[in-house]
Amino acid sequence: MVVSPPRPGPAAAPMSPARLRAAFAVLLLGMLLAMLDTTVVGTAMPTIVGQLGGLDRLSWVVTAYTLTTAASTPIWGKLGDLYGRKRVHLSAIALFTLASVACGFAQDMTQLIAFRAVQGLGGGGLAVGALSLIGVLVPPRDRGRYQGLTASVMAAGQIGGPLFGGFVTSFLGWRWNFYLNLPLGLVVFAATAVVLLVPPVPRRRVHLDVAGALLLTTAVTGLLLLTTGTGPLVVLVPVTVVAFGAFVGVERRSREPVLPLSLFAERNIRLTTVVVFVVGVVSFGTITFVPLFQQTVQGASASGSGTLLLPMTLAVVVASQVAGRVSSRTGRYRIFPIVGASAMAAGCAVLATGHTGTPVWLTSGALVLVGAGLGLTTQLMTLIAQNTVPAAEIGVATANTTMFRTIGGAVGTSAFGALLATGPLETGMPRVFTVAALAAGLAAVAAWRIREVPLRSTSR
């Protein structure tokens, strides 16, 4: 399909420091909405089932959102590159907000799952849109100063989601987890429209890669369903394999591929993809299974096991701030993912020794190592990917890192769950974190091979 984007208006004027800070805050708020809704319904699940029924489809309330978020991420990134990132980001905010309201009005489990899938489509656009716009507004050399705040929002969304969801459900009801997105979404939409000034996209004839988008969506969805153990293997395996093969063939011939295969010709893109995949495995695995181990093996309360994750969150924030500021000041960054992945491996190795009598201080120390490792790697991988590609491909490069981090989280959670199912939980946890330590070691090797390309001092 060939279409012509609308003719852009006059070139955007440079943003003042105050306006840039305001724009950054607005983008972070939109990202927080998307991250919170990944986990916010976890603590509301018993209440939702009590009112709507559908216990057999309970997991799909989360899975539907995750699937559509991951599958739509590269499409949003490409659309932003083609039609203007601000326009596409506003579309994602509107879709997310409307779908959130629809989730609140759901009258049965089927409706809720369907609306969550639509909400996930908007959530994918919110996440990649915010990171892409930051990549356009802030040069790579200066972006590190903002890195800690971005990492803080991601950590707050992942870890704070269940706490926020439980609080809202207890005092307002589970539907308000979705209704509250309406005023927040309206504020983010209006502020984005007014505050953001971004360079216009030059007018040109565009070939929409519809076939590639559909095949990629099918392949990613099939892969995530396989990792979560949902659906018959006899159907999912051939569909996923065929979709991936056909996608590769289509992308090689497409004039505007939704995920250019040439992207992976860049050494740093391949290596950052490996690292962010492992980051997803370790982060989601730690957040999911450490509290579970604390509750079922060591007898901790739900609130106590959740509080145990706070040291990891603080470590993420501090490490991100340090790495960001030093990389901005010096232009050097390669050492941080190497140290970060090594710290993740060490932290997971300590967690692998856990047993009934493991003291809290030792577990907390291990989580600080994991958090520091995540802080030194997560946002730097996005920065390295954005610095590797031309400005016109920032969207697809950002979407690639976001998508593979999500896929890594799904694969890790599923694989770790399978390891736990093979024996008592007390012996399963060492197996889980031994595998996580080995994966983090692989990430450290990949980080070692990253080439340190000088950070650009301009975002154009």
Side-chain angles (χ1 to χ4, degrees), residues 100-448:
S100 296
V101 175
C103 288
F105 280 107
Q107 298 301 305
D108 55 47
M109 190 63 76
T110 301
Q111 290 182 15
L112 180 59
I113 292 170
F115 293 141
R116 280 282 285 172
V118 179
Q119 189 191 31
L121 290 175
L126 277 174
V128 72
L131 291 173
S132 298
L133 283 164
I134 292 171
V136 171
L137 296 172
V138 184
R141 183 63 184 262
D142 299 331
R143 207 171 298 152
R145 291 182 296 174
Y146 298 89
Q147 182 176 298
L149 291 174
T150 306
S152 302
V153 166
M154 297 181 71
Q158 279 189 322
I159 299 172
L163 298 175
F164 179 79
F167 177 83
V168 171
T169 301
S170 297
F171 289 94
L172 298 175
W174 68 266
R175 296 181 187 274
W176 281 94
N177 285 303
F178 302 110
Y179 290 151
L180 288 175
N181 286 336
L182 177 59
L184 292 174
L186 291 175
V187 169
V188 172
F189 186 94
T192 301
V194 173
V195 173
L196 245 65
L197 295 176
V198 296
V201 176
R203 180 179 180 181
R204 60 191 177 97
R205 292 179 66 81
V206 174
H207 178 270
L208 294 181
D209 185 16
V210 177
L214 292 175
L215 287 169
L216 180 62
T217 300
T218 302
V220 171
T221 301
L223 177 62
L224 291 178
L225 289 175
L226 282 170
T227 61
T228 56
T230 307
L233 294 179
V234 70
V235 175
L236 288 177
V237 171
V239 167
T240 303
V241 171
V242 170
F244 267 121
F247 170 73
V248 171
V250 167
E251 296 304 275
R252 285 177 174 171
R253 298 189 301 271
S254 176
R255 283 176 282 173
E256 291 283 359
V258 66
L259 187 62
L261 300 183
S262 60
L263 196 69
F264 299 98
E266 295 285 350
R267 174 175 174 172
N268 279 3
I269 294 294
R270 296 195 302 271
L271 295 173
T272 55
T273 299
V274 172
V275 175
V276 296
F277 180 86
V278 174
V279 163
V281 170
V282 173
S283 61
F284 279 82
T286 303
I287 292 169
T288 302
F289 293 101
V290 168
L292 179 65
F293 178 76
Q294 288 281 308
Q295 292 179 47
T296 57
V297 175
Q298 296 186 320
S301 64
S303 59
S305 61
T307 304
L308 190 66
L309 295 175
L310 289 178
M312 186 176 85
T313 305
L314 294 175
V316 169
V317 174
V318 172
S320 298
Q321 290 280 5
V322 171
R325 291 183 179 278
V326 173
S327 62
S328 288
R329 186 180 306 117
T330 65
R332 309 299 296 270
Y333 54 82
R334 179 173 170 267
I335 187 63
F336 295 116
I338 297 173
V339 174
S342 301
M344 282 194 294
C348 290
V350 174
L351 290 173
T353 66
H355 54 83
T356 305
T358 300
V360 172
W361 66 263
L362 183 61
T363 303
S364 298
L367 289 174
V368 167
L369 283 174
V370 173
L374 293 174
L376 293 174
T377 54
T378 305
Q379 292 306 307
L380 271 178
M381 291 303 101
T382 301
L383 173 63
I384 293 171
Q386 292 177 339
N387 189 60
T388 301
V389 301
E393 294 184 354
I394 281 180
V396 293
T398 305
N400 180 68
T401 59
T402 305
M403 179 179 69
F404 275 96
R405 185 168 58 245
T406 303
I407 293 175
V411 171
T413 303
S414 176
F416 291 166
L419 285 173
L420 282 178
T422 60
L425 188 60
E426 185 173 354
T427 60
M429 290 302 291
R431 290 194 298 272
V432 163
F433 284 101
T434 297
V435 173
L438 292 174
L442 174 64
V445 174
W448 182 268

